[in-house]
Amino acid sequence: MPLIDQLKDNAAKWKADFQQLDKEGKLVTKLATMNKPIVVLCCMDHRVIPEKILGLGVGDAEVIRNGGGRVNKSLLPSFVITQDLCQCKLAVIIHHNDCGSCHLGQQKHKILQEYKAKGVDLSSAFADWEPITDVKGSVLEDVKKLRDLPMVRDDVDIYGFAYDVNTGELEEVTHDPAKTGNQP
């Protein structure tokens, strides 16, 4: 069976289990409300599964992913939505070892030139993209960068972690507490 057909079958199974009836017989969905006010910022790497790593269930957190899990312009609109509309008060940043971002950093210029030769200029898209050369160091940088952004509210508690994809260990690197004392 082609992979896309497997994915469609999985989606049909999800839909069959998605809708449920509450005690009064009204139709509800698994994702009706967010259970916890958490936003996780992490890498798009398939080995980083924040729901499993942090023991979260469906609807427990908003997860924002990008290459490297870095705090940059690409995640800001999503972060603002989670903090203002979803009322997330706890931000968890997770970077990991053996990240493709570590390797891509050495090839960034080459890749940009290859696309430019095809008539596609990606330089502005990569302008604030930073490779990870030191996992714990990048966590420290990004926690500070997130806290220093003017759109991040004072009542957001920010934690930074380093995840080891080889052992499954999650190590707390830093914590920048909420400034208003309203920690979740």
Side-chain angles (χ1 to χ4, degrees):
M1 171 186 300
L3 180 57
I4 192 65
D5 290 340
Q6 291 174 7
L7 297 175
K8 289 178 186 179
D9 285 350
N10 291 343
K13 290 174 189 170
W14 169 257
K15 181 180 183 276
D17 189 41
F18 187 74
Q19 297 179 335
Q20 302 170 359
L21 298 178
D22 66 11
K23 292 178 183 177
E24 287 82 40
K26 294 180 184 172
L27 192 61
V28 296
T29 66
K30 286 183 179 179
L31 303 178
T33 59
M34 198 166 112
N35 300 324
K36 299 179 176 122
I38 303 167
V39 57
V40 179
L41 313 172
C42 64
C43 185
M44 62 188 194
D45 190 304
H46 67 280
R47 299 168 296 174
V48 179
I49 309 166
E51 297 86 353
K52 296 287 186 188
I53 296 167
L54 299 171
L56 300 171
V58 173
D60 281 349
E62 301 293 340
V63 178
I64 303 170
R65 293 176 175 264
N66 68 13
R70 300 305 309 259
V71 173
N72 58 34
K73 286 187 274 187
S74 72
L75 70 75
L76 293 182
S78 297
F79 184 83
V80 168
I81 289 168
T82 63
Q83 120 181 309
D84 294 338
L85 298 180
C86 302
Q87 301 301 310
C88 290
K89 303 272 193 262
L90 175 61
V92 176
I93 296 172
I94 302 174
H95 292 184
H96 67 94
N97 63 321
D98 193 35
C99 183
S101 170
C102 300
H103 312 297
L104 185 60
Q106 302 159 358
Q107 301 172 14
K108 177 180 169 183
H109 181 72
K110 178 183 171 214
I111 290 169
L112 290 176
Q113 291 305 314
E114 287 176 5
Y115 276 95
K116 194 168 190 169
K118 297 175 186 177
V120 180
D121 185 1
L122 293 176
S123 58
S124 63
F126 280 84
D128 71 338
W129 183 82
E130 299 175 49
I132 293 176
T133 55
D134 168 27
V135 176
K136 291 179 184 177
S138 67
V139 169
L140 291 168
E141 288 172 16
D142 280 2
V143 167
K144 180 177 181 351
K145 191 184 295 183
L146 187 62
R147 175 58 72 204
D148 290 347
L149 291 170
M151 72 280 298
V152 175
R153 293 192 322 247
D154 287 343
D155 64 345
V156 174
D157 206 19
I158 306 171
Y159 281 85
F161 292 90
Y163 178 67
D164 188 318
V165 297
N166 299 312
T167 67
E169 179 182 2
L170 183 71
E171 178 184 350
E172 183 178 329
V173 175
T174 190
H175 174 216
D176 189 328
K179 308 240 185 292
T180 61
N182 294 336
Q183 298 171 0

